[in-house]
Amino acid sequence: MNYNMNMKRLAISLIALMGLSLGVFAQESKKVNAAQGNTYTTAQGSYEPRFAVDGKSVKVKNVILMIGDGMGTGAVNAAHYANGGELTMTNLRAMGYVRTQSADNFTTDSAASGTAYACGQKTNNGYVGVSTKGEPMPNLPEKLGALGWVSGVVSTDDLNGATPASFFAHEQARGNSEAIWADLPESQLKFASAGARKVFEKQPLKTQEAISAKYKVVFSPEEVSASDQAVLYLPESVSYDQRGNYLPETTALAIEYLAAQKGKGFFLMVEGARIDKEAHSNNFPGVVKETLDFDKAIAEAIRFADKDGHTLVIISADHETGGLSFNAGVPEEGYTMGVFTSRGHTPSMVPLFIYGPHSEEFTGVHENSDISNMIYSILTGK
């Protein structure tokens, strides 16, 4: 009797467990289905590089580092096929991967990865321009500025966003917006542009005055002149529907301004910040649109590199966001489909594209901090 009762209880328990498992599976399936997305995109074309000095041992005077925030291989694939099977970045020949882990977490945030790119050393998540001990670390604009190079940053984030901030600020908390803005007047940046005007005007008056004492603060590109000592250009908005061609046009503007300055050359960081924001929302069409917009800015950098002959362009990401898997497409129709596996960052390696003199030195797999140190070495010979 006891044996039969025990077997009956075991059978009931197994059935309940199977039901629970099926319920969990169904819930997870709904999550995955909810994270699917698709889009039809009108092709924008791409720029075909000349490859005249690509990979050659020609002196590098300028470096343009382009960071697609959250841009993993899934985003690149989706944008590539949505654009009819081409992108300026995928037209390049030299490629590799970047590992993005931070000093204290296998999955980085933008602050730690931005700092690695800017300073050449890993740090903790949330830290901007400081070491794991909270001590300020010199960034590329500071290191290069001391040797005669001029520097700039352009981003579709606010200037206090983690990635642009990593190239001028030194703070232990990425969310400390006021302190980050207050660091700007002490920075080595000659040109800075990010959104938006209203964010700047919310800063303490003392900070606004200190910034205005160093920079010519403008709200339209027409106000920028090569003769300006230093420029802070703040658009009214950097949202996709309102900014128009802000990113490619401002990338071209920054290049023109920096190239006209006296010095040994320039360093420019350009961030397509909102790929990440769309991926956090699992917005597949948004990821594709933002990646294509970033590719327009890449085209401006590659055009200049072809014209100049002494410019190295490096394209990568601070991390991957959303675990985006590209799983279907009809390139001739601009149709693509993808599935997100997460709403957060992932530890996946991110793609690396390189164009210009010495590009082959960047092929293979690198740490994000290595990229910074290689840039410094190629420019200075140190």
Side-chain angles (χ1 to χ4, degrees), residues 159 168 178-187 189 200-201 203-217 229-232 234:
L159 194 59
F168 70 86
E178 287 190 5
I180 289 172
W181 277 97
D183 284 344
L184 183 60
E186 304 302 319
S187 78
L189 297 182
F200 168 72
E201 292 176 343
Q203 302 310 310
L205 183 59
K206 181 180 179 180
T207 299
Q208 292 186 48
E209 290 174 344
I211 291 172
S212 298
K214 177 175 180 178
Y215 293 93
K216 178 183 178 181
V217 181
Q229 183 66 27
V231 174
L232 173 60
L234 298 164

Side-chain angles (χ1 to χ4, degrees), residues 136-169:
M137 296 189 294
N139 53 50
L140 279 171
E142 291 168 345
K143 290 188 280 189
L144 294 171
L147 299 174
W149 276 267
V150 293
S151 297
V153 299
V154 174
S155 176
T156 52
D157 198 355
D158 294 319
L159 194 59
N160 55 279
T163 301
S166 297
F167 289 83
F168 70 86

Side-chain angles (χ1 to χ4, degrees), residues 135-288:
E135 299 168 344
M137 296 189 294
N139 53 50
L140 279 171
E142 291 168 345
K143 290 188 280 189
L144 294 171
L147 299 174
W149 276 267
V150 293
S151 297
V153 299
V154 174
S155 176
T156 52
D157 198 355
D158 294 319
L159 194 59
N160 55 279
T163 301
S166 297
F167 289 83
F168 70 86
H170 303 281
E171 300 296 335
Q172 204 166 331
R174 61 177 290 180
N176 195 346
S177 174
E178 287 190 5
I180 289 172
W181 277 97
D183 284 344
L184 183 60
E186 304 302 319
S187 78
Q188 289 294 312
L189 297 182
K190 287 277 287 185
F191 183 96
S193 182
R197 177 177 181 172
K198 63 182 180 181
V199 179
F200 168 72
E201 292 176 343
K202 288 180 180 178
Q203 302 310 310
L205 183 59
K206 181 180 179 180
T207 299
Q208 292 186 48
E209 290 174 344
I211 291 172
S212 298
K214 177 175 180 178
Y215 293 93
K216 178 183 178 181
V217 181
V218 302
F219 307 112
S220 69
E222 292 77 20
E223 298 176 75
V224 178
S225 169
S227 62
D228 295 330
Q229 183 66 27
V231 174
L232 173 60
Y233 162 38
L234 298 164
E236 295 295 333
S237 173
V238 288
S239 66
Y240 184 84
D241 294 332
Q242 297 179 38
R243 70 174 186 257
N245 284 320
Y246 164 79
L247 187 58
E249 289 177 355
T250 307
T251 298
L253 177 66
I255 290 170
E256 180 182 7
Y257 173 83
L258 292 171
Q261 304 306 303
K262 294 180 180 179
K264 292 183 178 180
F266 69 82
F267 168 77
L268 173 65
M269 190 286 293
V270 177
E271 182 196 25
R274 294 180 176 265
I275 302 167
D276 172 72
K277 299 180 190 306
E278 299 295 349
H280 276 300
S281 300
N282 285 178
N283 182 353
F284 183 77
V287 169
V288 171

